[in-house]
Amino acid sequence: RQRVVVFISGGGSNMMSLLNATTDPSYPAEIVAVFSDKADAGGLAKAADRGIATFAFLRKDYDSKEAHEAAILAELERQAPDIICLAGYMRLLSGAFIGRYEGRILNIHPSLLPLFPGLHTHQRALDAGMRIAGCTVHYVTEGMDEGPIIAQAAVPVLPGDTADSLAARVLTVEHSTYPLALKLVAEGRVKMEDGRAVIEDPVAQ
Ligand code: GAR
């Protein structure tokens, strides 16, 4: 099974959805560790409860972004992940970091990219009068939320929606979309080539 390290900054519900998927022995990936840049991220305790190794390095404990990332990279050397999954990790990785794991870092973003990258995505979708919203799993490249798209799922925007109610609806499809996307990557059925996600034609199998 492919070794996965999950990066979180918060509650970690996406991390838990990945962890739950990996409990099926036929799933092609396993989570070997969870990293957070926040010591109090709720997801850290949830992962530890399930017997997963956790580590936290806080940005404020380092003089520079480079030093912070060096600490993370050193621990990653030990964990030897094949794939890194960002799951609510709210910090941009440097080009040097991404280059070290080129084509092997995934992220989930709660919008239908390329619409609404970055913060406040749900409010911006509502302000734009969108009638659908959704989530995107994509390869991480240097541009924020810009990498090649692996999988997406859509939900309706309903009358009376607030950013919170829309976020909650999108989150429910995040929890099925991320395990699906990770499965495709772990099985080698999708790859990043020349800046695009190349997905194997299921008919050609
Ligand atoms: C999720 O909605 C995820 O898509 C989003 O943060 C939430 C984390 O929830 N990520 C971003 O906004 C990344 N820029 P979780 O901690 O419960 O998985």
Side-chain angles (χ1 to χ4, degrees):
R1 304 217 282 177
Q2 296 277 291
R3 296 171 64 81
V4 175
V5 173
V6 183
F7 283 25
I8 62 170
S9 297
S13 71
N14 277 291
M15 178 273 294
M16 287 303 289
S17 75
L18 294 174
L19 193 51
N20 288 336
T22 62
T23 59
D24 177 347
S26 70
Y27 192 82
E30 63 178 324
I31 295 177
V32 295
V34 173
F35 163 68
S36 180
D37 63 330
K38 304 261 186 262
D40 58 355
L44 280 181
K46 292 180 200 159
D49 276 353
R50 296 277 290 262
I52 305 292
T54 63
F55 59 106
F57 298 119
L58 314 191
R59 173 64 181 87
K60 69 174 173 55
D61 292 337
Y62 298 86
D63 288 342
S64 64
K65 182 183 183 77
E66 205 182 356
H68 183 228
E69 288 193 341
I72 303 168
L73 283 167
E75 181 60 29
L76 286 176
E77 287 283 315
R78 279 186 280 278
Q79 301 294 349
D82 300 297
I83 300 166
I84 293 170
C85 287
L86 310 185
Y89 186 67
M90 301 308 278
R91 199 168 283 284
L92 279 181
L93 297 172
S94 71
F97 188 107
I98 294 166
R100 175 69 189 74
Y101 289 92
E102 184 90 62
R104 298 195 286 146
I105 310 178
L106 314 185
N107 179 46
I108 188 157
H109 181 75
S111 79
L112 293 171
L113 291 173
L115 294 172
F116 317 120
L119 297 176
H120 311 299
T121 184
H122 301 295
Q123 189 57 51
R124 285 155 59 213
L126 291 174
D127 292 348
M130 294 292 292
R131 288 291 170 256
I132 58 168
C135 68
T136 303
V137 179
H138 64 94
Y139 285 108
V140 172
T141 55
E142 268 198 76
M144 183 180 58
D145 300 329
E146 278 181 3
I149 293 169
I150 299 165
Q152 294 184 302
V155 298
V157 176
L158 298 178
D161 259 339
T162 61
D164 284 348
S165 65
L166 183 56
R169 194 174 310 117
V170 170
L171 195 60
T172 62
V173 291
E174 291 186 49
H175 294 160
S176 50
T177 308
Y178 213 167
L180 183 80
L182 174 59
K183 185 171 192 278
L184 288 174
V185 173
E187 287 175 341
R189 291 164 63 195
V190 55
K191 290 197 175 66
M192 192 168 91
E193 283 170 16
D194 301 328
R196 307 212 35 110
V198 181
I199 301 183
E200 182 182 278
D201 179 359
V203 179
Q205 282 188 50

